[in-house]
Amino acid sequence: MHEPIVVLDVETTGLDFDRDEIIEFAAWRIEEGEPVGSLNFLVRPQQEVPPKILKLTGITAAELALASPLTEHRAEILDFLQGVVIAGHNIAFDLAFLERACGHNAAVGVWDTLELARIFFPSMPNHRLSTLVEKLGLNRSTQERWHRAGTDAWATWKLLQACWNHGTQLDQSFYDQAAPLLSGWEGRSFVQALHKHIARTFPDRPIRTGLILAESPAWPDNKPKSRVSADREWVINCFTSGGILEQSLAGYESRSGQVKMAEAVTSALSAPSHAVIEAGTGTGKSLAYLIPSLWWAKKIGKKVVVATHTIPLQEQLYTKDLPLLEQALPFSFHTSLLKGRGNYLCLKKWTEHLGVAPEFLPEERLASLSILTWLRQTGSGDVQELARFRGIDKIWPRICADTEGCYPKKCRYAGVCFLLRARKQAEEADVIVVNHSLLFSDMRADYKVIPEYRYLVVDEAHHFHEVALEQLAARISLEQIKLIMEKIFRQGGGGFLAQLKNRLHKLEEILPEFDWIRFGTETAEIPDLCQGVLVQAQELFEFLGGIVGKEQTLRLTAWHRSEGWWGIFAVQAENLRQRLQAVDAKLKAISSLIARQDEDLLEENLYELSMYSSHLEEFIEVLSLIFEEESPERVTWLESFPTLSLKSSPVEVAGILAEKIFARLEASVLTSATISIAGAFHHFLREVGLPLTTNALKVESPFDYERQMRFFVVKDLLQEAEQAANFIAGVAELMRGRTMVLFTSHSFLRETHGFLVECLRHTGLEVLGQGIDGGRKSVLEQFLSNPQSVLLGASSFWEGIDIPGESLSCVIIVKLPFWPPTLPLIQARSELLNSRGLNPFRDFLLPEAVIRFKQGFGRLIRSKGDRGIVILLDSRVIQKSYGAVFLSSLPLRKHVRAERRQVLAGVESWLSNSLENAVLF
């Protein structure tokens, strides 16, 4: 880096660009790669600076009062920036404020280290400056007089150096491939300078051509071969005091619950039989099913599949738990991580993608540069390794190994295909780690996705039937139709149809019998047919949007057929169905022509045609189901979020799971922390299609809930946002933040948020509302970084949130989490149960609410050292007879029921370790 560079950062009074002012400016001047000067000062703002900003920056109000106004520094700033390249992290933010405050700057270029870090360090968890500093081991400035802008400017300089140093390690072909992607990007001079530097400094570095990929990581297999014990007691002894785990894992303690669970899993696999296990938080259930699974797979030489609900837990098992066991267990084993096709990069599509680089938007160019680097690092091609940003999310559907355009077996990249590599590892594995969705994708694909297995462990099993319903539902939306039509035929060139013509004409000499005239006739009609589908789909979904209005869902029933709009809907839906059938017929006709040729080279084309035809058949099926005679076992509805779609789903999946999953297995284990209802497993067993006689075990948590926490029920609080906010504010002040509030309604959350902000305005406590102050991930990160805050979350916060320690010391549950009875699936399921003489509330709505309630309740105590409070604002739990079912399903026997004033006093008493005056029930 020979250009003069100024690395800068500014801090402002808040997050409202139109009103914000700069309160700190910091910059380093770099020449010939070395800092030669700095500029740092505070700026006195015209408005009051929020306490949150003062805390964030480390600046005090007194310091700002002594600072000069920005006008006194304008000339100094402009002089400092004269004729240099300006660098900064998310530099557009800083430059916008500088240009507003100082006018046009005289810089000769701009380098954004946020963009550069995304290119050179694509696998970071995220690209915030603080994360990069930590992960890359960068040194912040040690100058004590500097506040946040000063230290961030120095860290940005260190990050710029790290990007340069990493770039010097890349091969020449990277820069050759990157060149078409640099056009129009302000940071291109940085990459071009790197390229020149490498060519000048490393003239003998070999230039490789084609795809440059990282080596595939191999599972370590250097352990001496050891016989697997035939005695099932060996498995149990691993968990006991003095056993293998205690000898091998630092800090491991034998837990009676974990021993019981391991014994039950071992018994189920070896019997063989099915088993359901509820393992309380802290049991250590992952190891309790992994060791028996590994032992059994090695003992009999057959695979065990472990399925989790979420990809993060899937990866935790594979990257954390299984490597620990590789070190601890005396025998070697092989495992694999297998995900859906859409998670893997398709090298064929990637190569085609690079071929149209001139058409890319700026964010697509940046994402492509990021992936170009990542391909030299990844052994799996799994998108979860990439830090996600808008550009990645935009191009990934075009380059992933989904069904269209990806036929691994006949692909020229088959030898290095990430998807085939993952499947090969699965074929060789003893234990395969998948997610619930992949199990059902395998089922729908006639069991061709996951290698044959007869033993299954399902973790987070309380989600199993929900995922089945989701995966077995058929859906159609305007966006889906547009995507498939544009993939088949793209206006202006490209698309599958154009590619197919090009491929076949290149093979013309070896296809003397091919009916080119018929092929030309069939393909000539497809563009107009695709356009007709798009026009009709647009018309249909605009009409449906008017029908659903502001509602989130609208169930379509026989009653609606007498409505005036139904006739118009029926005609438009039938027109769309016929147009889809016409396109499908053309694809099938083309497929028939190609299939008559005895050429292996054509298999890929046949595969792609069948995939597009399959998508069209799904759309046609949904449109056909609407007009079939209404069945109590199926429900069809309109759903407006996130985009308007038409859905059709089975009402229950128990019979499907029994036939298509469990009947094929020799043994299965289903486990979760929340399965039982008041100690009974009947509801869960019915939902997943297992006999009520299935072996079931409840393993209590090792945590001492009676000592570690208190549970309060507020008796006198109405479900009004202002009243709820006033009470929450009182609790939050006593707790000094550290509070998470769980809602069942986004609208009530938003209403409460407004009142709560006012209540806490002068307390120094921050209010973080999901969907208001950021998405789920963003507000959670803000909550973790600032303990003096209150987090308001809806459905996605009721589970999957693990915050051990003092950062979360209070959980407030606003309302018992019953599903709204008007949701189409819930409504249809209730009607079906009624028709069978069952009580929908008792046999369905109540058990589902209890399981969700247990999940929310479980957010508080995550370790033996945790202490805190759960408060329920819904008095129905003590006023209604069904409340006893909720209370008897919790891991503690006592609770405090009182009015608001008494609850606040109880919280204060608990905080001072004295509950002598509380009345316990």
Side-chain angles (χ1 to χ4, degrees):
M1 290 181 286
H2 299 288
E3 305 89 339
I5 304 165
V6 167
V7 186
L8 62 82
D9 186 74
V10 301
E11 293 295 332
T12 68
T13 54
L15 301 175
D16 183 353
F17 177 81
D18 292 331
R19 296 175 54 234
D20 282 355
E21 302 172 73
I22 295 173
I23 55 174
E24 184 186 9
F25 176 90
W28 287 91
R29 187 178 179 96
I30 313 296
E31 295 182 7
E32 296 297 326
E34 295 294 333
V36 296
S38 64
L39 188 61
N40 178 237
F41 50 80
L42 297 181
V43 178
R44 185 171 71 236
Q46 297 180 2
Q47 59 180 307
E48 181 183 356
V49 181
K52 173 183 175 181
I53 300 299
L54 294 177
K55 182 177 181 180
L56 192 68
T57 60
I59 302 170
T60 67
E63 287 175 316
L64 288 178
L66 297 173
S68 304
L70 185 63
T71 52
E72 296 185 15
H73 299 283
R74 185 173 292 140
E76 187 179 15
I77 292 173
L78 292 175
D79 183 61
F80 200 75
L81 301 181
Q82 184 75 27
V84 301
V85 173
I86 295 180
H89 203 70
N90 197 11
I91 190 65
F93 174 86
D94 304 283
L95 289 182
F97 279 102
L98 279 177
E99 290 181 5
R100 190 175 72 175
C102 303
H104 179 71
N105 70 70
V108 297
V110 175
W111 293 345
D112 190 339
T113 54
L114 173 62
E115 295 177 339
L116 293 174
R118 284 173 171 169
I119 294 171
F120 293 107
F121 304 106
S123 299
M124 286 290 164
N126 57 67
H127 290 100
R128 284 189 293 274
L129 185 60
S130 57
T131 302
L132 293 163
V133 166
E134 177 190 349
K135 297 296 182 182
L136 297 174
L138 306 179
N139 294 323
R140 287 186 178 270
S141 171
T142 58
Q143 296 197 37
E144 295 181 5
R145 65 182 180 84
W146 283 22
H147 296 288
R148 176 166 171 155
T151 57
D152 280 1
W154 180 261
T156 300
W157 157 236
K158 290 298 176 183
L159 175 58
L160 192 66
Q161 282 185 310
C163 291
W164 180 270
N165 292 337
H166 187 81
T168 62
Q169 307 303 312
L170 293 172
D171 52 275
Q172 288 268 19
S173 65
F174 168 83
Y175 294 96
D176 293 337
Q177 291 172 319
L181 300 168
L182 300 178
S183 177
W185 175 48
E186 282 191 303
R188 64 185 179 277
S189 60
F190 182 90
V191 178
Q192 290 166 343
L194 258 172
H195 193 186
K196 291 177 183 176
H197 171 77
I198 291 169
R200 184 171 58 249
T201 311
F202 308 105
D204 298 328
R205 183 175 288 180
I207 300 176
R208 296 183 288 171
T209 58
L211 277 172
I212 311 299
L213 304 174
E215 296 266 336
S216 174
W219 187 271
D221 199 12
N222 52 8
K223 186 176 292 186
K225 298 295 181 183
S226 175
R227 291 186 59 188
V228 177
S229 174
D231 187 357
R232 62 193 300 273
E233 287 302 314
W234 176 88
V235 178
I236 314 307
N237 290 337
C238 288
F239 297 89
T240 57
S241 181
I244 283 176
L245 293 179
E246 197 169 275
Q247 294 174 32
S248 306
L249 305 182
Y252 178 83
E253 293 181 4
S254 177
R255 287 163 275 187
S256 60
Q258 191 179 44
V259 174
K260 287 180 184 177
M261 180 174 174
E263 188 169 10
V265 175
T266 305
S267 296
L269 293 174
S270 55
S273 63
H274 301 302
V276 171
I277 305 169
E278 180 175 87
T281 306
T283 299
K285 59 180 166 55
S286 298
L287 295 185
Y289 62 67
L290 284 176
I291 291 179
S293 297
L294 291 165
W295 169 78
W296 185 247
K298 294 295 290 186
K299 181 174 183 288
I300 68 169
K302 293 185 178 179
K303 299 182 189 302
V304 177
V305 168
V306 174
T308 73
H309 175 229
T310 62
I311 285 178
L313 181 55
Q314 194 183 354
E315 292 180 338
Q316 179 184 315
L317 294 179
Y318 188 72
T319 61
K320 180 181 176 184
D321 297 332
L322 286 167
L324 283 177
L325 294 180
E326 217 292 335
Q327 299 299 317
L329 299 184
F331 54 82
S332 63
F333 55 83
H334 293 282
T335 62
S336 79
L337 182 69
L338 192 58
K339 300 177 183 176
R341 298 179 60 128
N343 287 281
Y344 301 101
L345 181 80
C346 172
L347 294 171
K348 171 176 169 283
K349 289 185 180 181
W350 168 248
T351 304
E352 293 170 352
H353 169 79
L354 290 180
V356 291
E359 301 174 12
F360 293 168
L361 297 172
E363 61 195 16
E364 295 173 323
R365 294 175 185 274
L366 180 61
S368 300
L369 286 165
S370 182
I371 290 175
L372 202 59
T373 307
W374 175 62
L375 278 172
R376 288 155 170 79
Q377 302 168 357
T378 182
S380 69
D382 184 347
V383 69
Q384 301 300 325
E385 294 178 359
L386 283 169
R388 305 294 283 270
F389 57 93
R390 186 177 173 186
I392 294 288
D393 290 336
K394 192 160 187 176
I395 70 170
W396 188 259
R398 305 203 294 262
I399 60 176
C400 69
D402 61 8
T403 49
E404 300 90 18
C406 179
Y407 185 46
K409 291 182 180 178
K410 293 294 181 180
C411 179
R412 63 184 179 275
Y413 298 110
V416 288
C417 173
F418 293 118
L419 176 62
L420 287 184
R421 187 183 292 176
R423 289 184 173 175
K424 184 175 185 296
Q425 289 174 347
E427 290 284 358
E428 298 171 351
D430 303 301
V431 169
I432 307 171
V433 182
V434 303
N435 53 56
H436 295 179
S437 295
L438 196 65
L439 283 179
F440 298 114
S441 296
D442 181 51
M443 184 185 86
R444 295 177 68 179
D446 199 24
Y447 310 102
K448 294 177 181 176
V449 175
I450 303 173
E452 184 178 359
Y453 66 96
R454 291 292 179 264
Y455 299 90
L456 173 66
V457 176
V458 179
D459 199 352
E460 300 178 297
H462 61 285
H463 282 296
F464 197 54
H465 70 286
E466 295 173 8
V467 177
L469 278 168
E470 182 182 327
Q471 291 292 312
L472 297 174
R475 58 182 61 80
I476 182 173
S477 70
L478 179 60
E479 287 70 24
Q480 286 176 298
I481 294 172
K482 281 182 176 178
L483 181 65
I484 295 302
M485 290 301 110
E486 288 172 3
K487 282 185 175 181
I488 294 173
F489 172 75
R490 189 178 304 152
Q491 293 284 357
F496 169 70
L497 186 63
Q499 292 172 6
L500 179 64
K501 289 178 178 179
N502 290 336
R503 291 176 199 162
L504 290 181
H505 282 297
K506 287 179 181 178
L507 301 174
E508 195 166 353
E509 291 184 5
I510 62 172
L511 298 175
E513 304 297 323
F514 189 69
D515 191 341
W516 291 103
I517 295 175
R518 174 94 183 275
F519 176 73
T521 302
E522 300 290 0
T523 55
E525 295 180 32
I526 288 180
D528 286 343
L529 291 174
C530 287
Q531 186 60 30
V533 167
L534 290 173
V535 170
Q536 186 61 54
Q538 184 77 39
E539 186 177 332
L540 172 63
F541 280 94
E542 282 181 2
F543 177 76
L544 292 177
I547 298 301
V548 75
K550 295 181 179 180
E551 300 297 322
Q552 289 195 348
T553 60
L554 175 67
R555 182 183 173 196
L556 302 178
T557 64
W559 180 82
H560 286 114
R561 300 186 184 206
S562 61
E563 292 281 297
W565 56 265
W566 183 269
I568 301 172
F569 168 50
V571 170
Q572 290 190 350
E574 178 60 21
N575 286 343
L576 179 58
R577 189 172 73 91
Q578 290 180 7
R579 295 188 185 206
L580 287 166
Q581 286 176 327
V583 176
D584 187 37
K586 292 299 176 186
L587 296 183
K588 285 182 167 64
I590 294 169
S591 183
S592 176
L593 288 173
I594 295 174
R596 294 173 193 167
Q597 309 302 307
D598 187 21
E599 286 291 340
D600 288 345
L601 292 172
L602 299 176
E603 281 191 34
E604 183 178 352
N605 301 302
L606 288 172
Y607 177 79
E608 290 188 63
L609 283 163
S610 71
M611 289 300 100
Y612 286 116
S613 187
S614 176
H615 281 297
L616 296 178
E617 287 168 359
E618 286 182 20
F619 297 157
I620 292 164
E621 179 191 7
V622 178
L623 293 169
S624 301
L625 285 169
I626 300 167
F627 304 103
E628 287 185 0
E629 186 176 344
E630 191 171 10
S631 165
E633 296 183 353
R634 191 161 197 95
V635 60
T636 302
W637 73 98
L638 291 169
E639 190 169 287
S640 61
F641 183 83
T643 57
L644 182 62
S645 58
L646 183 59
K647 292 186 174 182
S648 182
S649 168
V651 174
E652 62 180 7
V653 291
I656 298 172
L657 296 181
E659 176 190 354
K660 302 288 188 179
I661 298 290
F662 297 115
R664 300 181 71 255
L665 301 174
E666 293 188 31
S668 69
V669 175
L670 291 87
T671 184
S672 168
T674 53
I675 290 180
S676 70
I677 310 295
F681 292 83
H682 295 161
H683 171 71
F684 176 77
L685 291 169
R686 279 195 294 263
E687 290 296 300
V688 299
L690 286 172
L692 297 183
T693 54
T694 300
N695 293 326
L697 171 68
K698 181 177 171 64
V699 178
E700 300 293 346
S701 169
F703 302 152
D704 186 349
Y705 285 92
E706 308 293 347
R707 180 187 63 82
Q708 292 180 246
M709 67 168 293
R710 284 293 182 269
F711 176 36
F712 295 90
V713 179
V714 180
K715 298 198 303 185
D716 65 335
L717 195 144
L718 302 175
Q719 288 293 317
E720 295 177 353
E722 186 172 8
Q723 194 178 89
N726 286 329
F727 178 76
I728 293 167
V731 174
E733 287 193 71
L734 289 171
M735 301 299 302
R736 297 306 305 156
R738 304 180 300 156
T739 299
M740 179 165 67
V741 189
L742 299 176
F743 291 80
T744 58
S745 160
H746 281 278
S747 60
F748 195 67
L749 183 156
R750 288 191 293 272
E751 193 177 357
T752 304
H753 179 276
F755 287 116
L756 189 58
V757 168
E758 290 302 315
C759 292
L760 297 176
R761 181 170 296 280
H762 301 294
T763 63
L765 299 178
E766 185 178 7
V767 181
L768 300 168
Q770 180 188 5
I772 301 169
D773 301 292
R776 181 181 188 270
K777 183 178 180 182
S778 174
V779 294
L780 183 58
E781 289 172 346
Q782 292 178 68
F783 181 72
L784 290 171
S785 66
N786 178 22
Q788 292 190 8
S789 58
V790 182
L791 192 159
L792 313 186
S795 57
S796 62
F797 278 87
W798 285 73
E799 60 180 298
I801 303 293
D802 193 356
I803 311 175
E806 293 186 358
S807 295
L808 178 61
S809 297
C810 179
V811 172
I812 299 176
I813 298 175
V814 174
K815 201 171 182 181
L816 294 174
F818 287 103
W819 289 115
T822 54
L823 289 178
L825 261 172
I826 303 301
Q827 196 176 65
R829 182 68 186 281
S830 298
E831 291 170 5
L832 182 62
L833 293 172
N834 255 328
S835 70
R836 295 174 178 171
L838 298 172
N839 183 316
F841 180 81
R842 181 195 65 215
D843 298 321
F844 175 54
L845 293 172
L846 178 60
E848 289 293 309
V850 170
I851 288 174
R852 199 166 171 222
F853 180 69
K854 289 170 69 175
Q855 285 285 339
F857 187 92
R859 294 314 92 208
L860 180 68
I861 303 298
R862 309 302 296 174
S863 71
K864 285 186 176 181
D866 288 349
R867 287 167 56 83
I869 293 164
V870 174
I871 304 174
L872 174 64
L873 307 187
D874 193 337
S875 60
R876 288 179 296 174
V877 80
I878 55 177
Q879 294 172 347
K880 301 290 186 180
S881 59
Y882 60 75
V885 182
F886 285 93
L887 296 175
S888 61
S889 299
L890 296 177
L892 82 171
R893 302 274 72 86
K894 300 175 183 178
H895 66 273
V896 179
R897 55 179 74 175
E899 296 179 353
R900 282 167 288 170
R901 179 180 53 80
Q902 295 168 314
V903 170
L904 290 173
V907 170
E908 190 171 16
S909 179
W910 164 253
L911 288 171
S912 61
N913 294 318
S914 173
L915 279 171
E916 297 171 350
N917 298 322
V919 180
L920 299 181
F921 294 85

